[in-house]
Amino acid sequence: MLTIISVYELFRFLSKRFEVIDDFFESVKYRDFSRQYLAENKAKDIRLFYEGFNTVNEVVRKINSEKETQYLYLQKILELVDIGIMAYETESGKVLWSNGSFQNTLEFPSFKNISFVSSRNPEVYELIFDKFYPKPTAIEISVQKETIKVLLSNSIFQIGDKCFKLVVLHNIEDTLNKTESEAWKKLLSVMTHEIMNSIAPISSLANTLKFQVQIHQENPKTNKLDIEDLDAGLSSIEKRSEGLLKFAKTYRSLNKVTSLNLEKVLIKDVFDDLEHLMRAQLKNKHVALEFRLADEALEIEIDTYLMEQVIINLILNAVEACERTEKPEVIVMAVKKPNGKILIAVIDNGSGIPLEIQDQMFVPFFTTKEKGSGIGLSLSRQIMTLHGGKIQIDNLHEKGAKVSLVF
């Protein structure tokens, strides 16, 4: 009899515990983690169960709260972006999620199934939902009898046994129009800046030659006309004018494969032409311009016209950099390095280049000058790339900067 009672009590004891566990599992099954188990005045083992259940519920509630917060954040962010985003089930066409930008771009009201688009605009439906764009692709779609340009991409993902497609739609019509307008403004600014860089020394040299001719005409006996100097000056003007014309053509097609008119020339001849061009322009700036060449027989294979444009830009930059220097000096030198490479360097004794902008010097249209175009160094690097060379900028330990063209 005692054994029967003991077995019965054990059965009741275990049944009670199993009921408690079953109750908790039932809550888990229906994802009800809001319940609070009262552990007070309970048997020790049941109290421990309840305390454990409460801890589990609290952790799950916290995790759910964090997930809900993250979801709300993500939802708000996606609603604020001006890029249309939609996810839908591929088999049924049921929309899983979509932001307002998607509907606004297509000028559709909110819809729950992509079949709505099929009935409303079959052409748009085919372009967006029937075709696959693994990479962002620019296409034109017709919206309200108007054609707009959009950037479209999509990807497939799977959740459980269901397959979904994510569609990203970006209206680039306004961006393209704005970018095109800005590009034209910058292009005009750039071309004006670059053309003036070449015209200024031509104009200065022409004025100098004209003045020499005038004073010779006024008093031929006292002021003799140096024919060789006159011939050299006119030759420099002619070559730079031809170079300016070629520069304009090359700049227009620089983003394409550009064929260079390469020829072997003496660096001495290039330096002599540049000295003739720059001497008159720099005379009033009181900047000492010196060309140094250790080996007068040093040759280089370049497109002379384009490379003169690069060196002129570098000289003008160097002159401007040392405007506030007490004794401004710009040195243009050329040497052959031990590894066989030829280096042409433009060195100034100005203030140098601030470290914080050195990485941006070659970014197109970046400039620290009030009236600069920000294209000189960028274009110079592209011309050097066409020559198979490179351009480097370094601050000098003493004072100033050094821009090197390495061939």
Side-chain angles (χ1 to χ4, degrees):
M1 184 65 180
L2 184 60
T3 303
I4 296 174
I5 294 174
S6 299
V7 171
Y8 175 73
E9 289 298 327
L10 177 61
F11 174 77
R12 286 185 58 196
F13 176 84
L14 293 175
S15 297
K16 182 66 175 176
R17 273 65 185 167
F18 281 127
E19 285 177 7
V20 170
I21 295 173
D22 285 342
D23 183 55
F24 176 72
F25 285 162
E26 188 76 9
S27 299
V28 172
K29 180 181 178 181
Y30 293 101
R31 299 184 181 183
D32 179 14
F33 299 100
S34 61
R35 183 172 176 180
Q36 186 71 22
Y37 293 89
L38 299 177
E40 295 181 3
N41 302 322
K42 302 293 182 184
K44 183 179 180 180
D45 56 336
I46 293 181
R47 187 171 70 250
L48 291 174
F49 273 137
Y50 281 1
E51 288 174 355
F53 296 159
N54 288 334
T55 301
V56 171
N57 284 345
E58 185 178 351
V59 170
V60 173
R61 284 198 298 270
K62 187 176 181 181
I63 292 173
N64 287 342
S65 177
E66 290 175 354
K67 283 186 175 181
E68 186 176 351
T69 302
Q70 290 175 355
Y71 175 77
L72 289 173
Y73 278 145
L74 179 61
Q75 194 174 35
K76 289 297 180 184
I77 291 171
L78 294 177
E79 284 293 346
L80 289 173
V81 297
D82 60 351
I83 297 176
I85 302 171
M86 168 182 282
Y88 69 94
E89 188 180 347
T90 55
E91 186 175 347
S92 65
K94 182 180 179 182
V95 175
L96 182 68
W97 190 87
S98 173
N99 66 352
S101 295
F102 195 92
Q103 279 89 31
N104 293 337
T105 300
L106 300 178
E107 297 189 16
F108 286 164
S110 179
F111 54 90
K112 295 182 179 181
N113 197 293
I114 62 172
S115 59
F116 171 84
V117 182
S118 177
S119 60
R120 182 103 173 214
N121 194 327
E123 184 182 347
V124 170
Y125 177 88
E126 181 183 357
L127 286 171
I128 295 178
F129 300 111
D130 276 353
K131 295 186 177 181
F132 187 63
Y133 306 92
K135 294 181 180 179
T137 305
I139 64 170
E140 292 185 350
I141 60 176
S142 179
V143 176
Q144 298 294 338
K145 297 183 179 180
E146 291 185 6
T147 301
I148 63 171
K149 293 179 181 178
V150 298
L151 203 61
L152 189 63
S153 63
N154 48 40
S155 62
I156 304 291
F157 63 97
Q158 197 155 348
I159 301 177
D161 58 348
K162 292 186 178 180
C163 187
F164 298 88
K165 181 185 278 190
L166 180 68
V167 180
V168 179
L169 183 71
H170 186 196
N171 186 348
I172 57 174
E173 184 78 22
D174 293 338
T175 304
L176 286 175
N177 291 338
K178 185 177 179 181
T179 302
E180 185 178 359
S181 176
E182 290 296 322
W184 274 110
K185 290 179 184 177
K186 288 180 179 178
L187 179 61
L188 291 174
S189 172
V190 167
M191 293 302 293
T192 302
H193 178 76
E194 292 300 320
I195 290 171
M196 288 303 297
N197 275 355
S198 282
I199 289 179
I202 291 174
S203 177
S204 297
L205 182 55
N207 286 334
T208 300
L209 296 177
K210 183 180 179 182
F211 176 72
Q212 290 177 358
V213 172
Q214 284 178 344
I215 61 174
H216 170 72
Q217 290 175 336
E218 292 171 0
N219 196 339
K221 294 182 180 179
T222 306
N223 302 303
K224 293 185 177 181
L225 187 63
D226 190 334
I227 300 300
E228 289 186 2
D229 192 36
L230 180 62
D231 181 64
L234 291 173
S235 296
S236 295
I237 290 175
E238 181 184 21
K239 287 185 69 175
R240 187 85 297 268
S241 299
E242 290 175 358
L244 183 59
L245 289 172
K246 180 166 185 183
F247 162 76
K249 293 178 182 177
T250 303
Y251 180 80
R252 183 175 56 190
S253 58
L254 201 57
N255 60 329
K256 302 176 182 178
V257 178
T258 307
S259 58
L260 298 176
N261 184 23
L262 295 175
E263 56 179 338
K264 270 198 173 184
V265 295
L266 289 170
I267 294 181
K268 179 183 181 300
D269 292 342
V270 176
F271 279 8
D272 287 345
D273 288 339
L274 289 170
E275 189 173 8
H276 271 107
L277 279 169
M278 303 304 297
R279 188 192 304 155
Q281 185 181 2
L282 300 183
K283 185 177 180 181
N284 296 330
K285 291 183 177 290
H286 308 291
V287 177
L289 177 62
E290 182 182 353
F291 289 84
R292 294 180 184 176
L293 185 61
D295 183 4
E296 292 191 352
L298 188 60
E299 286 186 324
I300 188 171
E301 189 175 24
I302 56 172
D303 186 315
T304 311
Y305 299 125
L306 289 180
M307 202 48 59
E308 280 186 356
Q309 181 71 40
V310 171
I311 298 174
I312 286 174
N313 277 335
L314 298 183
I315 292 173
L316 293 176
N317 286 344
V319 169
E320 189 170 344
C322 56
E323 279 182 344
R324 298 182 182 179
T325 304
E326 188 175 346
K327 293 182 179 180
E329 182 183 30
V330 176
I331 299 171
V332 183
M333 58 173 288
V335 296
K336 190 169 186 177
K337 301 175 73 177
N339 60 4
K341 290 185 178 292
I342 294 176
L343 181 143
I344 298 176
V346 178
I347 305 168
D348 67 73
N349 62 345
S351 56
I353 303 166
L355 292 175
E356 60 270 16
I357 68 168
Q358 282 189 14
D359 292 339
Q360 304 178 65
M361 294 297 292
F362 294 106
V363 175
F365 308 117
F366 171 81
T367 180
T368 57
K369 303 174 187 177
E370 186 176 343
K371 296 182 179 180
S373 67
I375 194 63
L377 286 175
S378 174
L379 189 56
S380 296
R381 183 165 69 172
Q382 292 185 59
I383 292 174
M384 284 300 296
T385 301
L386 290 173
H387 280 80
K390 61 181 178 178
I391 182 170
Q392 298 174 332
I393 300 179
D394 300 290
N395 278 326
L396 301 178
H397 293 297
E398 305 83 19
K399 191 179 182 182
K402 175 182 177 181
V403 183
S404 304
L405 306 176
V406 184
F407 297 87

